[in-house]
Amino acid sequence: MEICTDKLISVCTSTYCVNMLSILILFSGLRCVSVCPPLGMESHRIENDQLLTSSVYQHRYGSHRARLNIQASGDEDDMNGGSWCANSEEKVHWIELDARTLTEFTGVITQGRDDPLESDYVSSYYVAFSNDSREWTVLHDGYAEWLFFGNSDKNTPVLSQFMEPVVARYIRILPQSWNGTMCMRMEVLGCPVPDPLSQYHSQNEVTHRDDLDYTHHNYLDMEKLMKSISDECPNITRLYSLGKSFKGLEIYAMEITDNPGMHETGEPEFRYTAGYHGNEALGRELLLMLMQYLCREYKDGNPRVRHLVDETRIHLVPSVNPDGHMKAFEKGSELGSWTLGHWTEDGHDIFQNFPDLNNILWDAEDKGMVPKLISNHHVPIPEGILSSNGSVAVETLALISWMESHPFVLGANLQGGERLVTYPFDMREPEEEIRVIEDQSMFRWLAISYASTHRTMTQTYQGGCHTDDPTGGMGIVNCAKWKPIPGSMNDFSYLHTNCFELSIFLGCDKFPHQSELLREWEHNKEALLTFMAQVHRGIKGVVRDKEGNPISNATLSVEGVNHDIRTGESGDYWRLLNPGEYRVTARAEGYSPFTRLCVVGFDPGATLCNFDLNKSNWDRIKQIMPSGRSSLKLSGRSSL
């Protein structure tokens, strides 16, 4: 008997998963059957009105909550439970999915209820099929109705594969035994049966498809792909490492620019990072696709890509937490839990593992010390926080060192589990009002630039992934209002460096099936490019002395915005601003401050706004003053 593991790979992205399914088929005597990808319960491609149930315990646990990995709300009043739960008074329970077209069903994945206290899950069930939702046929194994064994805990997804594909429009899951309350979450695997009529029409449609690698990559595959991109475009790429993970894996970065390996005066630096949580694999794959795309389009002479690469120093880090991704990858895209691989090997959530600088600044603001006594920018890291006591992950330390060594202007971290963009502040003080970030209008624009050019991010008619839509249909939200996070990279970046950083949540499914990657690339490609271009928004320039020498660490202040930035080693700066007129002041130690009007227009590109500073006489005055005081004292004594 032939074991077709190549077909099984379509649902298993790990060798372990493929081997176990092959062994299962071999020893059960079943025929090998191709496993189709998920229909989209977890990703929300299956809409709420495609689901029907025999009964509902209460609306909080309705059929719309039966999605794989859906998370319960901690607020009992918002009507968002962690699964579908049936009415215990009913004797027969079922949940039905209408695929809306004839579909080749090949399997089901089940999961228990997400709840911090209860342990509810379905341990066995039947599966039935129908073409009209009235007459149903229960799946038979040749001897009796096939009883599938489900879950033995509430979190681990369990795959049940059918002996042969079943073609139907409707599928029903009929729970037979359960632990606790009858509650479940699920995903259905199926391939739509081709419609000859729609196939005929599709032949006349032009579908744009970039020639990229639309597969999931383990660590070695990622390393190999990044090296191949660097070899393909050696003139515009540089592969380097930020440092090593807890288990010693390189945290790779790809630099893409016209002169890799060096900072060019006047050229802003941009970053995308992904994989802070190892099980959020989509961001990782999108950045690998983006590298390929920029390399090939640059070679092909795409004017938009050429301008972006020539005028920007781009850094792409696809896997900040490679150790966590290895864990998630081993289980595969559908069979990992919501948290498997989320943390580093030594238990840190990298994204919220940064030093808390918010409270330092906010305490100083409350005491009226900002900006006269304490700076409103580049807040220093308190002594001892970065010492090797284990409170800061090695991956976080590598990121901080990287952030401090590059004059980044704009960045975004790609995450998963929701579909929206968040802007800082991320942190909220307990029992206090939300602090509005000084550059809120700019951050909102940056967030909208991504959300509005993403193909589906603002289509929120179904609500959010786990709760009602928190963005009000905009696709963007202030993180502190949505889910407050202490010690986030976004807040740290704004308070400690010049870089404006946002979080982009790419979708409900953290680890989408490989068959979804092409679709996700098409959904995100324009948004990824548009957001990068925002690094050229606002003003830029160089601060020099009268002899034309650059002044590093000069401060640029915008009137009305209580957040300054600094010049880099070459005296150059970039200040993200929306269109308008701004009074900008440059200051440097030993020089007289200078203020000028800088106008930001609506046309693409930052406005050039240079500053030439005169040396200050204040240092000479301070030198003279002590000797002047001494001579006055002496003359006073002699007169006595």
Side-chain angles (χ1 to χ4, degrees), residues 10 148 338 358 558 598:
S10 65
F148 290 92
W338 185 254
N358 299 62
V558 178
C598 301

Side-chain angles (χ1 to χ4, degrees), residues 380-395:
I381 301 171
E383 228 174 294
I385 285 186
L386 301 184
S387 61
S388 56
N389 59 5
S391 62
V392 180
V394 294
E395 295 88 350

Side-chain angles (χ1 to χ4, degrees), residues 164-468:
E164 295 180 347
V166 180
V167 177
R169 172 173 168 173
Y170 300 88
I171 182 172
R172 263 187 188 179
I173 313 301
L174 299 95
Q176 299 301 301
S177 62
W178 50 87
N179 186 77
T181 306
M182 208 309 293
C183 298
M184 69 181 298
R185 293 174 284 174
M186 68 176 193
E187 180 63 87
V188 176
L189 309 180
C191 301
V193 175
D195 183 346
L197 185 61
S198 64
Q199 271 193 320
Y200 171 78
H201 286 302
S202 65
Q203 290 175 1
N204 298 318
E205 295 176 1
V206 178
T207 303
H208 178 70
R209 179 174 293 197
D210 300 310
D211 184 22
L212 307 177
D213 184 355
Y214 303 107
T215 59
H216 281 295
H217 298 81
N218 63 21
Y219 181 79
L220 293 178
D221 289 338
M222 179 191 75
E223 184 181 55
K224 182 179 178 181
L225 178 62
M226 293 180 75
K227 287 179 178 177
S228 71
I229 295 168
S230 187
D231 291 340
E232 185 177 351
C233 294
N235 296 329
I236 62 166
T237 63
R238 179 176 71 98
L239 179 61
Y240 68 101
S241 173
L242 275 60
K244 292 183 183 292
S245 69
F246 185 84
K247 293 182 71 173
L249 300 178
E250 300 287 351
I251 304 172
Y252 283 115
M254 180 70 79
E255 178 187 342
I256 303 178
T257 186
D258 57 343
N259 287 299
M262 60 177 289
H263 172 73
E264 294 185 66
T265 301
E267 186 171 279
E269 304 213 14
F270 175 92
R271 66 177 182 238
Y272 273 133
T273 52
Y276 290 78
H277 310 128
N279 58 341
E280 294 170 3
L282 179 54
R284 169 195 181 100
E285 299 306 333
L286 285 176
L287 292 192
L288 292 176
M289 291 183 226
L290 183 59
M291 294 175 200
Q292 300 170 63
Y293 179 82
L294 293 176
C295 165
R296 293 171 186 176
E297 291 299 307
Y298 190 91
K299 283 176 29 179
D300 290 344
N302 182 323
R304 181 186 188 186
V305 171
R306 279 197 164 258
H307 181 267
L308 194 59
V309 170
D310 289 343
E311 301 299 324
T312 319
R313 192 181 185 196
I314 302 165
H315 303 256
L316 307 177
V317 184
S319 189
V320 170
N321 180 8
D323 299 349
H325 183 266
M326 286 185 72
K327 283 185 178 179
F329 190 89
E330 184 66 21
K331 276 290 184 180
S333 64
E334 312 308 322
L335 301 181
S337 69
W338 185 254
T339 58
L340 181 68
H342 181 94
W343 295 278
T344 63
E345 187 67 20
D346 55 340
H348 294 288
D349 184 327
I350 299 173
F351 181 72
Q352 49 186 300
N353 186 229
F354 289 80
D356 170 17
L357 304 182
N358 299 62
N359 279 314
I360 295 173
L361 179 67
W362 294 347
D363 288 345
E365 286 179 341
D366 292 342
K367 294 172 183 175
M369 301 167 67
V370 179
K372 291 184 178 179
L373 298 178
I374 293 180
S375 176
N376 63 16
H377 63 103
H378 289 81
V379 178
I381 301 171
E383 228 174 294
I385 285 186
L386 301 184
S387 61
S388 56
N389 59 5
S391 62
V392 180
V394 294
E395 295 88 350
T396 310
L397 292 173
L399 282 168
I400 291 174
S401 176
W402 180 60
M403 294 162 70
E404 291 178 334
S405 62
H406 292 77
F408 289 114
V409 180
L410 177 62
N413 45 86
L414 308 184
Q415 300 192 44
E418 192 55 83
R419 185 180 289 112
L420 47 79
V421 182
T422 69
Y423 58 89
F425 284 121
D426 292 359
M427 182 175 172
R428 179 176 183 174
E429 298 171 293
E431 309 302 326
E432 295 287 339
E433 291 292 325
I434 292 173
R435 300 265 183 159
V436 176
I437 201 164
E438 285 293 328
D439 288 278
Q440 178 174 246
S441 62
M442 187 68 236
F443 272 108
R444 285 180 60 83
W445 167 262
L446 293 169
I448 287 172
S449 74
Y450 196 98
S452 64
T453 49
H454 186 281
R455 285 192 177 180
T456 63
M457 197 167 280
T458 55
Q459 296 175 7
T460 55
Y461 55 89
Q462 287 194 72
C465 294
H466 308 280
T467 63
D468 297 334

Side-chain angles (χ1 to χ4, degrees), residues 490-539:
N490 296 348
D491 288 0
F492 177 84
S493 181
Y494 183 72
L495 296 178
H496 188 65
T497 75
N498 285 342
C499 187
F500 288 28
E501 179 88 10
L502 297 87
S503 294
I504 298 169
F505 290 80
L506 298 164
C508 307
D509 191 346
K510 289 183 176 184
F511 200 146
H513 188 269
Q514 189 162 286
S515 63
E516 298 282 347
L517 294 181
L518 169 59
R519 179 185 289 105
E520 291 295 344
W521 168 249
E522 291 296 335
H523 284 174
N524 285 277
K525 178 177 71 173
E526 179 60 32
L528 288 165
L529 297 173
T530 297
F531 186 80
M532 276 197 290
Q534 304 312 304
V535 76
H536 297 283
R537 190 179 185 86
I539 61 174

